[in-house]
Amino acid sequence: MAGKYNLSYESEMGTKVNVSFSHPEYLTTTYPKYQNSWNVVANTNGDLYDQDGKYYYGLYFEEEAYYPVDFNEGFYVTKENAIDFLEDKLSMIGLTPRERNEMIMYWLPILENNGQSVVKFEFTSERQAFNGIHIDPKPDSMLRVLIHVKKVNEKVDITPQYLPHFERNGFSVVEWGGRKH
């Protein structure tokens, strides 16, 4: 499972931000390198800088998946409708055009290669329960969204998943990522 954070802060000057995980032992790959936490300065446009002034447009991590995902609700997606599905659902959730574009560039080839898939989204409360993220100062709004993709060999009747819409207010944090099953 991989994820990426974007932080943006509504102030004239950048704000020092500390980011840490409840279970850093789950992390397998990080960029920049995670050493007990990430310490960055977040600007109003979301640009991030480390203590040496090095620029990052996001914080990246991969983690071990230690929990099963129940596909009792979600969506059936074919390679023919994958683009429309991703554009529609990611927009409904509240991702920005750049965030949607990034997720689509990564997940579209997987969905097309699968031919047929079931997809389920996981949101902030579930992510926080599994591997909470701690941010200081505390964000005004936070979205953690992951897409779970499972290849299937035939059409699946699945209960459609409710997708909440995220509103950005003040200091906003957004994580997006996913897992292939």
Side-chain angles (χ1 to χ4, degrees), residues 36 41 53 67:
N36 299 317
V41 172
Y67 58 96

Side-chain angles (χ1 to χ4, degrees), residues 39-41 49-56:
N39 290 289
V40 295
V41 172
Y49 295 89
D50 67 13
Q51 63 275 6
D52 298 323
K54 186 172 179 183
Y55 165 80
Y56 298 92

Side-chain angles (χ1 to χ4, degrees), residues 23-175:
H23 295 284
E25 68 273 16
Y26 294 174
L27 304 178
T28 58
T29 300
T30 61
Y31 183 75
K33 208 39 105 177
Y34 181 90
Q35 296 175 352
N36 299 317
S37 68
W38 280 310
N39 290 289
V40 295
V41 172
N43 289 344
T44 57
N45 64 358
D47 288 348
L48 306 175
Y49 295 89
D50 67 13
Q51 63 275 6
D52 298 323
K54 186 172 179 183
Y55 165 80
Y56 298 92
Y57 86 97
L59 306 173
Y60 178 81
F61 71 94
E62 289 186 4
E63 69 185 357
E64 294 288 333
Y66 290 102
Y67 58 96
V69 174
D70 185 356
F71 286 91
N72 60 344
E73 62 178 15
F75 305 93
Y76 170 74
V77 181
T78 66
K79 71 181 198 174
E80 293 79 20
N81 73 353
I83 290 174
D84 290 340
F85 169 81
L86 289 169
E87 288 177 344
D88 179 56
K89 300 306 184 209
L90 297 176
S91 181
M92 285 176 62
I93 290 167
L95 295 183
T96 65
R98 180 178 178 158
E99 293 162 353
R100 289 192 306 265
N101 185 262
E102 241 185 51
M103 279 196 74
I104 291 168
M105 287 188 305
Y106 185 85
W107 289 101
L108 180 61
I110 293 167
L111 289 169
E112 288 182 338
N113 188 52
N114 282 356
Q116 300 176 89
S117 303
V118 288
V119 171
K120 181 176 183 172
F121 292 94
E122 179 181 346
F123 293 99
T124 306
S125 62
E126 294 165 294
R127 293 294 305 136
Q128 285 295 98
F130 174 68
N131 191 4
I133 183 170
H134 311 284
I135 301 170
D136 183 31
K138 185 178 178 184
D140 298 309
S141 53
M142 181 167 70
L143 172 66
R144 300 183 74 186
V145 60
L146 273 73
I147 185 172
H148 293 275
V149 176
K150 180 178 170 185
K151 179 181 170 65
V152 294
N153 295 320
E154 59 188 26
K155 185 172 183 350
V156 174
D157 289 324
I158 189 167
T159 302
Q161 181 182 7
Y162 168 75
L163 301 178
H165 181 75
F166 175 67
E167 293 290 333
R168 293 163 202 259
N169 297 304
F171 175 29
S172 299
V173 174
V174 176
E175 168 193 343

